[in-house]
Amino acid sequence: MNIRKLFTSTLAALALLALFTAPATLRASDVSGTLTSITTSNNSVALALGSGASASIGSIATKDNSTVSGTLTDNTTSNNSVALGLGSGASASIGGIAIHASTFSGQATSLTTSNNSVALALGSNANARLGGILIKDRSNVSGKLSDVTTVNNSVALALGSDAEASIGGIEVVGSSVSGQATSVTTANNSVALALGSAANARIGGIQIR
């Protein structure tokens, strides 16, 4: 089966699954220790449809007033893959670490390699990311943050009001961070594009707002 047929059949199957499956209820968690995620994705699709939809390949995310301490490590390699989130508050990510409305202390390391891959989010407050570390929603973070992202022929695309698209980098939005932050991003023939009111697109860097 060639890549085009694989994408078409997988996308159709996931669309049907998303339409008839109720979203899981997310609750606050309290976690301490070492969490390691290692993901290799080839010719694959992650698809989420609906309000607050979230599609990810690899990555680590904390949310809903969770408290996490220790070491977080995400190592994601993506080849010819797509993460697609459709709906208000939609997010799509390939690799990376996201901390939403949570407290984290310790060390967080994100290692992402993306080749010929796409992260696409459509909707109000849409967020599309390839690698990187995102901290938002009044999170409180202390410790060491490190992101190393390498992308080739890849795209992060977000469409909608307050849309955000990023490749690598570290972003802090309305949160408190203390400690050390390091970002190393290499992008070849790649695009970060955000379209909409107050849209924000970036490749690499450290952004605090």
Side-chain angles (χ1 to χ4, degrees):
M1 181 180 291
N2 62 33
I3 293 175
R4 180 175 296 177
K5 290 182 178 179
L6 174 64
F7 268 47
T8 300
S9 59
T10 303
L11 192 61
L14 288 173
L16 289 173
L17 179 63
L19 287 173
F20 295 103
T21 303
T25 300
L26 298 175
R27 299 178 179 177
S29 299
D30 190 343
V31 178
S32 63
T34 300
L35 302 178
T36 302
S37 171
I38 301 175
T39 304
T40 300
S41 173
N42 298 302
N43 308 315
S44 302
V45 177
L47 170 65
L49 304 177
S51 177
S54 177
S56 63
I57 295 175
S59 78
I60 295 175
T62 72
K63 58 194 318 182
D64 296 342
N65 298 309
S66 293
T67 300
V68 180
S69 63
T71 301
L72 304 179
T73 303
D74 176 71
N75 190 333
T76 298
T77 301
S78 173
N79 300 298
N80 307 311
S81 297
V82 177
L84 174 61
L86 304 177
S88 176
S91 66
S93 63
I94 295 177
I97 295 174
I99 299 173
H100 298 269
S102 299
T103 298
F104 171 73
S105 62
Q107 181 171 327
T109 303
S110 170
L111 306 170
T112 303
T113 301
S114 172
N115 300 300
N116 308 311
S117 297
V118 177
L120 171 63
L122 303 177
S124 177
N125 294 307
N127 186 294
R129 297 183 299 111
L130 292 173
I133 296 176
L134 173 64
I135 301 167
K136 63 185 303 185
D137 298 332
R138 299 181 180 178
S139 292
N140 191 335
V141 175
S142 62
K144 183 177 181 180
L145 307 176
S146 178
D147 172 69
V148 178
T149 298
T150 302
V151 298
N152 300 292
N153 307 310
S154 296
V155 176
L157 174 62
L159 304 177
S161 176
D162 294 311
E164 294 188 23
S166 64
I167 295 176
I170 296 173
E171 182 176 14
V172 180
V173 183
S175 298
S176 175
V177 176
S178 62
Q180 179 178 333
T182 304
S183 170
V184 179
T185 302
T186 302
N188 300 300
N189 305 313
S190 298
V191 176
L193 175 62
L195 299 177
S197 175
N200 179 30
R202 61 182 178 77
I203 296 177
I206 298 175
Q207 186 175 91
I208 302 172
R209 59 192 177 92

